[in-house]
Amino acid sequence: MRIETLMIFKQQALLSGCLSNLPDNLNPNINGGNLFTVRKHDLSSTSGILKGDAFGLPNDLFVKRFNYKGLFSFLLKFISGGRAKRLWDINLVLFKKGLPVPMPIAYIRPSLKNRHSFYISTVINNADNLGNMYKRGLFSEPEVIADIVGKAVSELHMSGAVHGDLKWSNILIQKDAGEWRPFIIDLDQSRLHEKINFKGVIKDLVRFYRYGLELGAEEWVDTQFFPVYMSQLSDELKVKIDPAGIKKRAIDDWEKKGRRKFKVD
């Protein structure tokens, strides 16, 4: 194991230990006040950034709350841990494999007193999602971005994982000290397989290409992303991936959706 990896696991243990400083109920912080910045909210979940220094933590935390949706749903969550535990399990496996996902810190099961469940990870600072970057003209080094994104997605698929929602907003690009780093996020719909799941891989790539069409970035996908992605695959997978066929399916999907255009967050 590399020294960098050992240091990461030490940091994970440190942060997990510090979580005892957090209140038992995070809902007052999420529902109001100035310690939580909401990034996304809908009926099923609420996610955002919790200020860590208010609780004696060395870093801010990303918190995703899976909202209470009724008694039957709660009972399932209470028994199994629900989506928060599943998200923890997937992220932890991928993180331990060295894949570029935010470091998982903890999950909180629902209880009779608090019927929500929570997933907690590190925050990726100095980052924006791939779609926003392209739309805002921030692809200053398109070859470099293609290299890191192509390798990250191929590593995900070669590990046996399928994202399930591989849109550009679910790929963060961090620039720190002049170095670009990718992170794959929002793994709620992801699946882990013992072997490569070819059907799931193709669905991921079709979705990725369709978002390229929404952005008008199909040339970048064709000439820069796909060559890097394909070069990283095993021979077994490479012969089953047809970029031209993926492009056709993505165009068909895009046209069925009325040639929708990407919206900047």
Side-chain angles (χ1 to χ4, degrees), residues 28 61-62 65 84 91-92 111 116 153-154 167 202 204 213 226 229:
L61 300 175
F62 171 80
R65 181 183 70 187
N91 275 275
L92 188 61
S111 65
H116 302 291
V153 175
S154 66
K167 53 190 178 183
I202 291 171
D204 270 358
L213 290 168
F226 261 124
Y229 174 84

Side-chain angles (χ1 to χ4, degrees), residues 78-109:
F78 186 77
I79 295 169
S80 67
R83 291 170 63 190
K85 182 180 184 303
R86 185 177 174 280
L87 192 56
W88 160 265
D89 289 340
I90 289 173
N91 275 275
L92 188 61
V93 169
L94 296 179
F95 180 75
K96 286 183 175 180
K97 288 184 176 184
L99 292 171
V101 299
M103 183 168 62
I105 301 300
Y107 74 93
I108 301 173
R109 287 175 173 268

Side-chain angles (χ1 to χ4, degrees), residues 120-253:
I120 303 172
S121 73
T122 53
V123 175
I124 307 302
N125 295 312
N126 304 317
D128 201 352
N129 74 61
L130 190 65
N132 284 350
M133 288 183 64
Y134 189 88
K135 201 68 174 178
R136 291 170 176 160
L138 300 177
F139 263 47
S140 57
E141 299 178 76
E143 299 88 356
V144 175
I145 295 173
D147 185 65
I148 62 172
V149 173
K151 289 178 179 177
V153 175
S154 66
E155 287 174 3
L156 180 76
H157 289 156
M158 290 295 293
S159 75
V162 172
H163 189 284
D165 190 18
L166 196 63
K167 53 190 178 183
W168 288 34
S169 55
N170 284 338
I171 299 176
L172 296 183
I173 304 295
Q174 179 189 64
K175 191 169 187 180
D176 189 22
E179 180 181 357
W180 297 98
R181 295 184 63 196
F183 290 89
I184 298 174
I185 62 171
D186 282 359
L187 296 165
D188 299 59
Q189 299 182 45
S190 298
R191 294 289 185 272
L192 300 174
H193 304 274
E194 291 185 6
K195 297 181 179 180
I196 297 170
N197 184 288
F198 299 107
K199 185 177 180 180
V201 166
I202 291 171
K203 284 185 177 180
D204 270 358
L205 294 173
V206 169
R207 191 162 180 79
F208 182 88
Y209 199 105
R210 198 188 84 216
Y211 273 82
L213 290 168
E214 292 186 13
L215 285 154
E218 61 268 30
E219 183 178 354
W220 179 83
V221 179
D222 284 332
T223 64
Q224 299 194 49
F225 168 80
F226 261 124
V228 174
Y229 174 84
M230 295 294 291
S231 72
Q232 303 298 308
L233 301 181
S234 66
D235 291 339
E236 179 189 15
L237 183 54
K238 193 177 296 183
V239 297
K240 296 189 178 184
I241 301 297
D242 175 20
I246 289 166
K247 178 177 182 177
K248 184 180 183 304
R249 283 183 56 178
I251 291 173
D252 290 345
D253 286 352

Side-chain angles (χ1 to χ4, degrees), residues 1-16 91-98 103-105:
M1 184 179 291
R2 296 180 302 172
I3 294 176
E4 295 89 348
T5 307
L6 287 171
M7 292 175 65
I8 287 173
F9 281 113
K10 287 180 180 178
Q11 182 184 6
Q12 185 188 35
L14 174 64
L15 285 172
S16 297
N91 275 275
L92 188 61
V93 169
L94 296 179
F95 180 75
K96 286 183 175 180
K97 288 184 176 184
M103 183 168 62
I105 301 300

Side-chain angles (χ1 to χ4, degrees), residues 48-61:
I49 309 301
L50 181 68
K51 290 184 178 179
D53 56 5
F55 305 100
L57 298 171
N59 303 99
D60 291 343
L61 300 175

